[in-house]
Amino acid sequence: IASHIQGRPMFGETVSHADLLELLEAGAKISATRLTDTFDWDAYQQRFAGGGQLLFAISPAGRLYVTGPAFDARPAAGWVLIGLYRPQPQGAAAGEDAAAPAGT
């Protein structure tokens, strides 16, 4: 596609369609996690580091953010983070019980 009609990159400068397909083929699932005071942004990043790709973030006010180079928000308690992640072995992540599913 010509550079003058390209939009902003979604999810990251180097994330391609092939990367997302590779995650799916490896058994990755889309998950939504609500951040809390005990399971914050830093804990989220640590838990899912290297296991997939953060796709979207929804603020407590309901604003949807597409992650990528322009995503500069620092999510806090009440935000919902939606990502595509490989399954983790049972009990592999520290603080695993602290993550609140988005529906709670």
Side-chain angles (χ1 to χ4, degrees):
I1 297 177
S3 63
H4 70 282
I5 60 172
Q6 289 183 345
R8 289 182 272 171
M10 294 176 65
F11 316 133
E13 292 282 349
T14 61
V15 178
S16 69
H17 181 257
D19 294 330
L20 298 176
L21 283 176
E22 183 179 313
L23 283 169
L24 289 169
E25 289 170 355
K29 303 278 186 211
I30 294 177
S31 66
T33 304
R34 183 177 309 276
L35 297 182
T36 65
D37 290 330
T38 57
F39 191 78
D40 61 9
W41 175 237
D42 292 331
Y44 181 90
Q45 290 180 304
Q46 183 178 7
R47 178 174 178 189
F48 293 106
Q53 180 64 47
L54 177 62
L55 305 173
F56 305 101
I58 304 171
S59 74
R63 182 170 179 197
L64 175 69
Y65 293 84
V66 177
T67 62
F71 180 68
D72 60 357
R74 178 156 173 90
W79 282 68
V80 175
L81 304 179
I82 301 168
L84 180 63
Y85 295 103
R86 291 178 197 90
Q88 293 184 341
Q90 195 73 351
E96 188 165 346
D97 295 335
T104 61

